[in-house]
Amino acid sequence: MIKAIFFSTFDVNEGPKVLHQVPAEAIAPSSSSTQTPLFHFPSLSPYIIPRPEFCSRLITFCTPTHRILSQPVCLQSSSYPRNAYTFSIALVLESSTPFASYATVTLKLASLLKTLEEQSRFLSRDASAPNTGKIYALCEILLEDLNNYCESMIPIDDSNTLNIKLFPTYPPPPPLYPYHVPLSTVRLDTLTDPNWDLTMLKVLPYIDGVNSVKQISLLADADYKLVRKAIEHLLYYGCLLLLDIFSFSAVYAPTPEITSFVEDTEMQEECARYIALPTDGIKQNAQLDTISGLQLVELYLSLKQGQNVKSFYIEHAETMDRIDVRRFITFGVIKGFLYRIHKFAIATNPAGRRKRDHQVKSRQKTKAAADDPDSDAYVLDLEQYLDGIHCFDEICTELMISEQELTGRLKAIGDVQIISR
């Protein structure tokens, strides 16, 4: 939030001077005022109205409580006293406020005022008293509009209008890997436009909470790097969530956040609507009474380490028969009260493993050649993945094999320990 906007210039008799300030007396109060300024202007004036060498640059500095953003401008001309006119319009923010978007506003304001001064001496010919006139009105409208609406449109004269918008600054998106599964949080089809990026338009139909990033690139017949960049763009604006690849061999367990689900009946009802399966033409709402909150709590609390989704499903087959198991798991992950327990492979004897791996690959290559002379799926080197860092989802996605096939290959190699965490 902007705390103040002020316009200052270099007076040939008084030096750096604040001409207009909003709110009034926020920067340079009058001698009779009892208001405390946001900062001591005379101490910081060398940075607000600096030497010509430092003009036309974004300058930002902090006091203990506030941050000042400005871009001083120095115009050289023999028509000015001392052959130069130096001015600065500055924004004052709280020191903890992210200022990236405000920096853009500061640069645009300085550029506009410079253009107006060059065209018509809009600033230097302004004889209005302090805190009156067009420049003061400009500062006043800017402060109110940007704080309340994050945008402003101000007519300056018949041929100039100021249009400014504060674009929100979001945190960087989480790292995106080929095995991640994007799930949309908004109706992407309602946001699309024919002028959108072609890769983005090709990717959107395959973002369904089931396909991984790599699968999406294959289904869309698009370059993986371009697909990844498109999905990162949607992640940045909060249009997507990232999930793990759903598999019946996966293991999930509740987090301490499960208590919020146990106590929140509205979340339980939301879960029942999301996971219920309509059967035999019966509408989904008709199923809600058969899946109680207590049943859902018992099911989620039954998930535990060492038990995969398949075993869990078989154990609770009577209840799970009415539930979409993928949505059941996804709901818990989205709400944060379920977490995935991943599998990792570690080579316990790298030297011996490399020798044995060479023998295994030779046998597998012979078998692959017998089945398909062009196939090299059985001779891919697993060594780079056997360091305990790469999870099974990543390995399977990179090598385009199933978890069952990966497990079989690891057993054939030997000297490999599989851990879960």
Side-chain angles (χ1 to χ4, degrees), residues 104-116:
T104 306
V105 170
T106 304
L107 296 175
K108 187 168 185 178
L109 282 173
S111 175
L112 173 71
L113 294 180
K114 179 182 177 182
T115 301
L116 290 173

Side-chain angles (χ1 to χ4, degrees), residues 149-182:
Y149 311 110
C150 294
E151 60 183 359
S152 182
M153 185 182 73
I154 306 173
I156 305 296
D157 52 33
D158 293 339
S159 55
N160 292 284
T161 301
L162 173 63
N163 289 283
I164 282 185
K165 183 177 179 66
L166 271 177
F167 291 95
T169 302
Y170 299 104
L176 183 65
Y177 298 106
Y179 57 89
H180 277 148
V181 176

Side-chain angles (χ1 to χ4, degrees), residues 304-323:
K304 58 187 177 182
Q305 297 191 27
Q307 182 186 50
N308 59 28
V309 176
K310 181 179 179 181
S311 300
F312 167 80
Y313 187 88
I314 294 174
E315 183 178 340
H316 302 86
E318 184 176 348
T319 305
M320 295 300 295
D321 189 49
R322 306 190 302 273
I323 292 175

Side-chain angles (χ1 to χ4, degrees), residues 343-347 385-388 390 392 395 410 416-418:
K343 293 180 181 179
F344 299 84
I346 300 178
Y385 300 110
L386 305 183
D387 53 6
H390 306 278
F392 271 31
I395 300 173
L410 292 175
V416 176
Q417 183 178 1
I418 299 175

Side-chain angles (χ1 to χ4, degrees), residues 29-49:
S30 62
S31 57
S32 61
S33 174
T34 59
Q35 182 175 341
T36 303
L38 298 178
F39 60 89
H40 188 243
F41 178 78
S43 301
L44 299 179
S45 61
Y47 307 102
I48 299 172
I49 303 293

Side-chain angles (χ1 to χ4, degrees), residues 210-229:
V210 177
N211 297 319
S212 66
V213 177
K214 187 164 186 177
Q215 287 175 321
I216 290 173
S217 68
L218 295 174
L219 293 170
D221 192 23
D223 181 74
Y224 169 74
K225 292 181 179 179
L226 296 178
V227 171
R228 177 177 175 175
K229 187 172 289 292

Side-chain angles (χ1 to χ4, degrees), residues 60-124:
T60 173
F61 51 93
C62 289
T63 68
T65 55
H66 295 90
R67 180 185 295 274
I68 297 93
L69 296 173
S70 70
Q71 186 185 16
V73 176
C74 181
L75 298 175
Q76 306 285 342
S77 174
S78 58
S79 62
Y80 296 123
R82 296 191 183 181
N83 299 322
Y85 179 72
T86 304
F87 70 89
S88 174
I89 186 165
L91 276 60
V92 182
L93 316 172
E94 291 183 351
S95 57
S96 59
T97 302
F99 64 93
S101 57
Y102 293 98
T104 306
V105 170
T106 304
L107 296 175
K108 187 168 185 178
L109 282 173
S111 175
L112 173 71
L113 294 180
K114 179 182 177 182
T115 301
L116 290 173
E117 175 63 19
E118 291 174 336
Q119 288 178 351
S120 60
R121 297 293 190 263
F122 178 79
L123 304 176
S124 58

Side-chain angles (χ1 to χ4, degrees), residues 125-144:
R125 290 179 180 174
D126 182 37
S128 304
N131 298 334
T132 61
K134 292 184 178 180
I135 302 175
Y136 174 76
L138 175 68
C139 296
E140 191 175 33
I141 296 171
L142 269 176
L143 180 67
E144 182 177 352

